[in-house]
Amino acid sequence: MAENFQTLGVRADLIEGLRELGIEIPTPVQRAAIPKLLAPGGDLIAQAQTGTGKTAAFGLPLLMQLDPRNPKIQGLIIAPTRELAKQIGKELFRFTKYCDPKLFIEVAAGGDKIELQIKRLDRPTHLLVATPGRLMDLFKAGLILDAVQTLVLDEADEMLSMGFQAELTRICEETKKRHATWLFSATFQPRLEALIEAHMSPKAHRLQGDEKQVVNPNIEHRYALLAREDKDAFIIDYLRGQGSQRGLIFCRTRAGCIRMGQELENAGLPVAVLQGDLSQRDRDKVMRAFRKARVQFLIATDVAARGIDVEGLSFVIHHQLPDALQYYTHRSGRTARAGKKGVSLVLIEPDERERLSKLEQSLALNFRPAAVG
Ligand code: AMP
């Protein structure tokens, strides 16, 4: 029998919420994780990137654990960026549309007024989604998390590469009474393994997803071999050939992003630039414009693009190969979401062929030449 959310053990009221969102057939990570997480106790370490349905994979079992009669925070989800935290909160809120009694979910992330968040947390709250930095501020303001049963660390590798090691340790300590820790990450560096060893059960289940599943199979990987000075012209041609399709262009440096933004704008293309020098307000403005499709193409640095989760992106262009191979997984994961197809196109210079082969080997990918010229 084909597996559906019911056979995985998901509660009927949640399935009703899922159905309204068009979520009916579980993705591989959901099929693997949900039955494990519905069984009592036990830690889970899962390799999964954005776009695989990981939010529902941990979110559904977590929602099923919450006791609506207990007004305390019983579940805690930590995510690297405010965008991702908000996105998780929104998605789980939608799942609970038919839950009765109601489950209360709060999101605590930077950018929003902390006084307001403190007030909201004074009301019954069953599940909190937070960024590490903002949670530290809430601890300072007296937040106590002694009723948390399950801690979820989402995109743990991103949190470490953003320098949140001490914050994560503190969070693990503040929730010492918990019964389970579920960790999701696209990549596993030694630093992450150290965190796992310090704070998780040695008996944790591992969903190592074979490498081929780590990178979303709906992504087509392409490359174009170009001299550096020809890249802008190539990108302009490529974008002009996209019709109404939307996409993201990654650039390694802020200066590179700004320069390319100007080039593309001069070429009359509807682009915006997202880079770390922008104020939070400008960042939000750019993201809103992109999300609402008022801007068709977005140029971003790796750091600025963290947590970007926009539906319906058909392609991702890498102006250069990323510095760290793991970024390739994160960058390309922005396309081909929710079962759709997408293209991830890398522009490489002639002396970078070897780096591309290494990437192919380590991620078990096959790059084909780009279909433009
Ligand atoms: P995630 O990897 O959790 O960020 O999910 C990526 C997107 O896929 C989200 O927009 C989800 O709503 C959607 N999604 C999650 N699970 C499924 C599913 N089983 N079928 C279709 N869409 C899904």
Side-chain angles (χ1 to χ4, degrees):
M1 187 176 64
E3 268 168 335
N4 54 36
F5 285 99
Q6 192 184 1
T7 57
L8 291 180
V10 176
R11 221 168 53 203
D13 53 346
L14 292 168
I15 292 180
E16 228 178 307
L18 291 176
R19 192 171 302 135
E20 220 161 83
L21 298 169
I23 299 181
E24 304 206 8
I25 302 161
T27 64
V29 66
Q30 290 162 358
R31 282 202 298 271
I34 291 173
K36 285 208 166 64
L37 298 182
L38 285 178
D43 287 0
L44 179 88
I45 299 160
Q47 188 168 29
Q49 66 162 144
T50 36
T52 53
K54 66 183 163 67
T55 311
F58 62 72
L60 293 167
L62 187 56
L63 291 170
M64 285 174 66
Q65 283 183 354
L66 304 174
D67 175 3
R69 287 160 308 178
N70 176 353
K72 287 191 158 185
I73 298 170
Q74 302 152 53
L76 176 65
I77 300 172
I78 308 293
T81 61
R82 55 180 275 192
E83 281 87 2
L84 185 61
K86 285 190 169 168
Q87 151 93 21
I88 295 170
K90 201 159 96 192
E91 182 151 2
L92 299 191
F93 172 73
R94 287 178 167 167
F95 293 171
T96 61
K97 181 166 173 191
Y98 294 99
C99 291
D100 185 21
K102 279 258 156 270
L103 290 169
F104 296 109
I105 303 170
E106 285 295 344
V107 176
D112 295 338
K113 282 215 171 71
I114 189 157
E115 296 78 19
L116 214 71
Q117 279 172 0
I118 294 170
K119 251 204 203 118
R120 284 206 300 255
L121 290 173
D122 270 343
R123 302 180 304 195
T125 304
H126 304 110
L127 175 60
L128 176 63
V129 188
T131 53
R134 180 46 61 101
L135 196 56
M136 293 304 112
D137 297 338
L138 289 171
F139 284 149
K140 259 190 227 135
L143 178 72
I144 292 172
L145 291 176
D146 59 352
V148 168
Q149 308 262 347
T150 300
L151 169 67
V152 181
L153 302 176
D154 192 19
E155 305 210 346
D157 52 349
E158 287 283 272
M159 294 202 276
L160 286 184
S161 67
M162 287 166 86
F164 286 132
Q165 188 139 11
E167 286 82 350
L168 293 181
T169 302
R170 168 97 192 265
I171 292 165
C172 288
E173 276 162 9
E174 295 280 343
T175 56
K176 250 202 218 100
K177 292 189 193 149
R178 68 188 185 274
H179 297 308
T181 311
W182 304 343
L183 180 143
F184 286 73
S185 190
T187 56
F188 285 82
Q189 307 290 311
R191 263 190 319 175
L192 181 54
E193 292 294 346
L195 182 95
I196 289 170
E197 205 176 306
H199 299 287
M200 293 183 68
S201 158
K203 286 192 224 133
H205 291 296
R206 285 220 181 219
L207 294 182
Q208 200 65 41
D210 77 63
E211 289 291 330
K212 288 184 202 76
Q213 274 196 10
V214 175
V215 176
N216 179 341
N218 289 324
I219 303 172
E220 231 178 79
H221 302 272
R222 304 268 183 163
Y223 73 92
L225 198 60
L226 292 159
R228 194 179 188 82
E229 59 273 20
D230 296 332
K231 286 186 176 179
D232 284 347
F234 177 91
I235 292 176
I236 290 169
D237 269 359
Y238 186 88
L239 297 183
R240 284 195 173 133
Q242 290 303 309
S244 60
Q245 310 230 67
R246 309 168 62 219
L248 249 176
I249 304 151
F250 281 98
C251 211
R252 253 192 328 230
T253 62
R254 293 174 188 183
C257 276
I258 294 168
R259 193 201 52 74
M260 198 201 301
Q262 274 157 2
E263 285 286 323
L264 300 192
E265 222 176 284
N266 291 344
L269 290 161
V271 289
V273 176
L274 191 71
Q275 44 82 18
D277 285 340
L278 294 181
S279 68
Q280 189 65 54
R281 259 187 78 203
D282 286 339
R283 217 185 122 92
D284 286 348
K285 223 156 84 189
V286 170
M287 278 314 296
R288 249 196 322 274
F290 189 50
R291 213 167 252 134
K292 300 226 146 89
R294 288 197 296 267
V295 163
Q296 190 178 354
F297 309 118
L298 186 69
I299 303 171
T301 54
D302 289 293
V303 173
R306 279 187 178 132
I308 286 190
D309 181 53
V310 177
E311 292 293 310
L313 298 189
S314 313
F315 64 89
V316 167
I317 298 176
H318 313 250
H319 183 263
Q320 308 97 339
L321 273 171
D323 280 335
L325 287 190
Q326 55 170 315
Y327 279 144
Y328 184 79
T329 315
H330 285 295
R331 286 177 173 188
S332 59
R334 308 297 171 199
T335 183
R337 300 178 58 80
K340 298 202 184 84
K341 300 260 179 233
V343 172
S344 169
L345 168 62
V346 195
L347 309 188
I348 57 163
E349 292 167 46
D351 62 352
E352 289 177 320
R353 271 171 179 274
E354 198 162 321
R355 284 189 63 204
L356 193 72
S357 315
K358 274 209 187 114
L359 189 65
E360 277 189 314
Q361 274 166 23
S362 50
L363 293 175
L365 299 177
N366 188 10
F367 280 91
R368 290 185 298 137
V372 273

